[in-house]
Amino acid sequence: SRPAATRAGAPSPGANATPPPPPAPPSPGSISGTVTNPATPPQGTATICVYASGASGIGGSATTTSHGTYTITGLPAGTYRVEFTGCGSGYGTQYYNGATTQTAATLVTVTSGSTTPGIDASMNVTSAAPVFTADSPSTTATGGATYA
């Protein structure tokens, strides 16, 4: 079929139409949870880092509040491995769902525009840490070493 004829000098239909705007980029997602340790009240803070599955480098991080809660925002949709470190002296690094290595960590799925809650950790003491007091010039650690 032939295109419709237009009047001489008249613009073609749609010639001056404004193109539609590009689609909005997807909204980032987030991960939230609570980190606890055996101390009551909890001692220290923990740092939480997320690593995108199949990528290198940290995808995001946060530090817990004094109540042990955290939220990592601005994450593109995808799967992540979550690492917990710190939380006071003597607490080692662990990964989500109690894993001891990053490759063994349970993957956490982040969806655009929403929060993945309940990504919690209970930190465990992994080494004998020295306990210092203000009135003692030297203190014996749990493992028997003396610090002056």
Side-chain angles (χ1 to χ4, degrees):
S1 79
R2 297 172 66 193
T6 60
R7 265 186 345 199
S12 302
N16 291 328
T18 303
S27 314
S30 60
I31 293 173
S32 68
T34 302
V35 179
T36 59
N37 66 22
T40 306
Q43 303 292 309
T45 58
T47 299
I48 301 88
C49 296
V50 295
Y51 302 89
S53 181
S56 61
I58 295 176
S61 65
T63 302
T64 56
T65 67
S66 61
H67 300 288
T69 60
Y70 74 92
T71 301
I72 301 173
T73 60
L75 300 173
T79 55
Y80 294 84
R81 288 184 167 81
V82 182
E83 173 188 78
F84 303 91
T85 57
C87 205
S89 190
Y91 294 90
T93 297
Q94 68 182 49
Y95 298 86
Y96 180 57
N97 232 2
T100 57
T101 65
Q102 191 180 81
T103 55
T106 300
L107 291 174
V108 174
T109 300
V110 171
T111 305
S112 275
S114 66
T115 298
T116 304
I119 308 304
D120 303 334
S122 178
M123 303 298 284
N124 297 309
V125 176
T126 58
S127 65
V131 178
F132 296 98
T133 60
D135 59 352
S136 173
S138 69
T139 304
T140 303
T142 314
T146 301
Y147 298 87

